[in-house]
Structure formats: C-alpha cells, structure tokens
Amino acid sequence: MLLAAAALGQEPLQRFENRNGTFHIGLPAGWRQVAPNEARRIGELANAPEPLRLAQPQSFYAVGPVDRWLAGDFTGPWLYVVEQQAEWYVADDFVAQLTTMWADRGTATGERHELSGIRKELVGEQQVEVVVATRTTTRTDGRPPYRCLDVYSPAGSSQVTLSFSCAPDRFATLEPEFRRWLATLTFARVRKGQTSLSDRLWTPILTGGAVGLVMLLLWRHTRSRR
C-alpha cells in the first residue's frame, strides 16, 4: 500500500475543470466526473461509499476513477465537490458553526461525523483563504466509513467545497497527495462579497453552503422515494 501511494505521488496530474467554469485543479490521469446514471449504478453496490451514489452535474458530484467504481473497486481516493451560487466569508465562530452543522446532520441521518483540525489556510495557485477540516464519517447501514480533507473555498461569485476522501486507514498516507492536488487549485475569479457564514450555513434553499446540508436534503429525498 505504501508503494502504491508513493507511485501515485510521482504521477503527473491532469487538469480537471468544473462545468460551471469557476475552478480547475490537477488530479490523477484518468479521473473524471461521475454522471448521474453512473452514480445510480454505483449506488446499487453494497460496498460503495455513500458520496459516490449522488450526482448532479453542476451542484454536487464525485470525481475519480469512475470505471473502477462501476466494476466495484473502491480502494482508491476520490474527490467530492459541492458548488453553490453565493459565497460566504468566515466569521470568528466558524469552528463552532461547522461542528454544530455536522452534529445536526449526524442526528438526522444516524451517521457519526468526527471533525478535527478546523482552521483557516491559504491554498492553491492564488493563495485563497479557505477553511479546512479533517472529517471522519461512519455510517450504520454497513457502507464503509471514509475520511476527508474538507476545503471550504470562496470562488468569486460562488462557493466551492472540495472533499478529498479515502478509507480512514489510508488517510495519513494519502494526505500529502491531497495537498499536492490542492496546491494546483485555481479559481476563475476570487472573492467579491462578504455575506455572513452564518447566513449561508443556515439558509435551507442553498443547502447550507457546505457538503453536510446538501447531503442531508438528498438523504431525505432518497428516503421519500423508497
């Protein structure tokens, strides 16, 4: 496994650009955005991590080795992206707000979310100030747990959340590679406004401005169709 991770770190990166044209980032060769019909097929596999089951091309989706996922191979890392139309700025209580948001989602879905290392950082080619956190999500339905490096990024007139994800026992090995990808992050535009983080996190129509509330709404929608 260590040899595989080392080889991954030596591979050249290819440019991934989101469909909204708001950012691009260097990712491993062969990675692509999962299509909604592919996400549904992946969701039928019992060992598929939960985020890979949901995709809306311009709002929330996974990026990774999709063909391997369709074949049932989920051993490698992936990136999950959530985009919204309005950015927020970081208030002084951002640590408490993120912690509360994920705790509320866990209460609603039965998942357990453990957050650590919540802080501000400068990342990417443009050294944009973002909020980063390490999150471990454990489920009760038999699907595998996963650990993420979550990056909450303003993107000019929009907000982008990037979750660099893998199995918990691989995170320590893969985090340097996640950081290498993150160093290539570039936005088409940088910060414009200063809408409060509190407003964005708790506005239902914008699904909270972060991965947690987006996934909560989708979880409720999925249950209503069963």
Side-chain angles (χ1 to χ4, degrees), residues 13-18 21-27 61 79-83 121-132 149-155 159-164 177-190:
L13 302 178
Q14 69 175 16
R15 172 178 165 135
F16 170 80
E17 183 170 356
N18 68 331
T22 53
F23 76 91
H24 63 81
I25 188 171
L27 296 174
Y61 50 85
L79 170 65
Y80 199 79
V81 181
V82 175
E83 304 182 47
E121 287 188 15
L122 300 177
V123 303
E125 296 280 354
Q126 299 147 315
Q127 289 292 279
V128 173
E129 185 177 73
V130 303
V131 172
V132 300
L149 176 66
D150 289 334
V151 180
Y152 302 89
S153 308
Q159 183 76 21
V160 174
T161 301
L162 306 173
S163 294
F164 301 89
E177 184 66 4
F178 294 160
R179 292 287 183 173
R180 182 168 78 106
W181 305 344
L182 183 56
T184 70
L185 178 64
T186 304
F187 294 104
R189 290 185 288 181
V190 294

